[in-house]
Amino acid sequence: MANEVTVLVPRLLQPLVGGSSELRLDVGEGAPLSELLDAVAADFPVFGRRVRDETGTLRRFVNIYVDGDDVRRLQGLKTRIAAGQELMIIQSVAGG
């Protein structure tokens, strides 16, 4: 669709979104990242809790890139996402 953004979901989080490796979201004229994450969390609440903490902040070990740029180096959750852009979510795996 013309107003969609693609969200690439890492393998570790795919079971939380029905096994999908990609989600497509309608962004209309554009929307802040926080609204897109809210929309995904409305359908997949456990996914939402894995990506953001109880205050709504991105979890420390979750990185989101918009067309290759880390949102933390842009405007964080206020980063505006436009149709045609690609979001890549990367969840770090810690161990030792």
Side-chain angles (χ1 to χ4, degrees):
M1 299 288 177
N3 292 333
E4 285 186 339
V5 63
T6 302
V7 179
L8 302 177
V9 182
R11 188 173 304 244
L12 285 172
L13 296 177
Q14 289 174 12
L16 306 179
V17 294
S20 298
S21 62
E22 280 187 9
L23 302 174
R24 299 202 183 267
L25 302 174
D26 186 338
V27 293
E29 298 298 315
L33 175 59
S34 60
E35 286 183 19
L36 298 181
L37 293 177
D38 288 344
V40 175
D43 290 334
F44 305 105
V46 175
F47 173 85
R49 289 192 298 273
R50 285 279 182 89
V51 172
R52 294 190 289 178
D53 65 20
E54 45 291 327
T55 67
T57 304
L58 280 181
R59 290 198 179 273
R60 185 174 174 188
F61 297 109
V62 173
N63 297 305
I64 299 180
Y65 296 85
V66 178
D67 289 341
D69 293 321
D70 186 341
V71 298
R72 286 188 173 96
R73 294 178 186 221
L74 299 172
Q75 293 178 303
L77 293 171
K78 294 178 184 176
T79 302
R80 290 206 52 90
I81 309 301
Q85 289 188 301
E86 183 177 83
L87 297 179
M88 182 172 35
I89 300 172
I90 297 178
Q91 184 178 32
S92 299
V93 179

